[in-house]
Amino acid sequence: MLAVAIILAVVAVGLGVQLLRTHRRLQDVAGELEEAKRSLSAAESARRLADGQTVDARRERDDALERASRARRDAADVAKRMKQEAAARAAAEVALADAEAAATGSDEQAAELWSLAVAAVRRTWEISVSPSPGVPSPLDDTDDELQAAVGIEVDAAREEMGASIELVWTGAAVAPPALAVRALALVQELIGRVAKAADTAVLHVTAAPGQVTVEVSGTDVDGAAVPVDALLADVAPDHQVGPGRFELTSS
């Protein structure tokens, strides 16, 4: 019996030692598992951060590409507008020169030039102003083609450029063709200049026998007066009688 007790005691001690070792091993494994969990969590956080940075980088890249594309479009638009403005300026100078030539030419030449000018304004009405095809033009059945033509040019500026221009017409005299050609060419140039420089503008035309007076003024978005003297310094200087004020006569 003593031998059996000794053997059982030895087995118990051995099992105790083994149990202690197993417990320590389990603690070590648990610690390693906890460390693995922390490493996995850190790796997951790093992955999420990297994904966020990737998304941000792609967004910044796309934004940069869009800005570059927009800049190219803007540059192309500016170049196109500059080209159009140069062409319009050249056309206006030719029109003014033709108008001055009409003033010194024969009545037949003046009438021909005025007929061509009216035809051009009629096309402007059909393309830019008329609410629908076939609507009669103000040039139809009018006693004053110059007044009707100027009104169409003002409406066209409003439709094409969003220009806020008010036309004020004073007097009932009908300008002869030679004077009407010059007055219309002058008005077209003034509208083109002021429409781009002013937020709102007033075009005041006074028709008297043998004379047409045109005066233009404007204000910017802050309500300050636009310096028309500088803006229009090179427009028909021989006929300027004041800042933004022009007088044309038949003689």
Side-chain angles (χ1 to χ4, degrees):
M1 293 295 294
L2 179 60
V4 172
I6 293 173
I7 291 173
L8 290 175
V10 170
V11 170
V13 171
L15 289 174
V17 171
Q18 186 63 32
L19 181 60
L20 180 61
R21 289 177 178 176
T22 301
H23 179 69
R24 289 177 178 174
R25 180 57 182 164
L26 286 175
Q27 288 181 328
D28 292 340
V29 171
E32 292 174 357
L33 180 60
E34 188 64 29
E35 182 65 25
K37 288 181 179 179
R38 287 194 294 268
S39 299
L40 179 61
S41 178
E44 183 65 21
S45 298
R47 184 189 64 80
R48 287 196 298 270
L49 177 61
D51 289 345
Q53 292 174 339
T54 300
V55 171
D56 291 341
R58 288 175 179 173
R59 185 181 299 111
E60 291 176 358
R61 180 203 62 188
D62 293 341
D63 290 344
L65 290 174
E66 177 60 25
R67 288 194 298 270
S69 178
R70 190 183 308 115
R72 286 194 296 270
R73 292 196 300 269
D74 291 344
D77 289 341
V78 170
K80 182 179 179 180
R81 285 196 299 270
M82 292 179 63
K83 184 176 180 180
Q84 290 174 339
E85 290 177 6
R89 182 71 56 82
E93 291 175 354
V94 171
L96 286 170
D98 289 344
E100 291 295 338
T104 59
S106 65
D107 291 342
E108 290 78 9
Q109 290 175 325
E112 181 180 358
L113 286 173
W114 178 240
S115 177
L116 291 173
V118 169
V121 174
R122 194 180 297 277
R123 285 195 300 274
T124 298
W125 163 264
E126 295 171 351
I127 295 173
S128 302
V129 183
S130 176
S132 60
V135 173
S137 164
L139 290 165
D140 298 335
D141 300 325
T142 180
D143 294 329
D144 193 341
E145 289 185 329
L146 176 59
Q147 183 175 358
V150 171
I152 290 173
E153 292 294 334
V154 170
D155 290 340
R158 184 180 300 113
E159 295 295 331
E160 294 175 351
M161 297 182 285
S164 178
I165 301 178
E166 177 187 359
L167 173 62
V168 178
W169 192 279
T170 304
V174 177
L179 181 56
V181 168
R182 296 159 61 206
L184 179 60
L186 174 62
V187 166
Q188 289 170 331
E189 179 64 10
L190 295 179
I191 289 175
R193 299 274 186 110
V194 174
K196 296 175 183 177
D199 183 57
T200 60
V202 176
L203 180 69
H204 192 166
V205 181
T206 302
Q211 178 176 308
V212 174
T213 302
V214 182
E215 186 170 6
V216 64
S217 61
T219 57
D220 60 22
V221 293
D222 297 321
V226 173
V228 292
D229 51 345
L231 179 65
L232 308 175
D234 60 334
V235 178
D238 294 339
H239 300 288
Q240 288 198 43
V241 296
R245 182 180 176 87
F246 302 81
E247 288 184 359
L248 303 174
T249 60
S250 294
S251 57

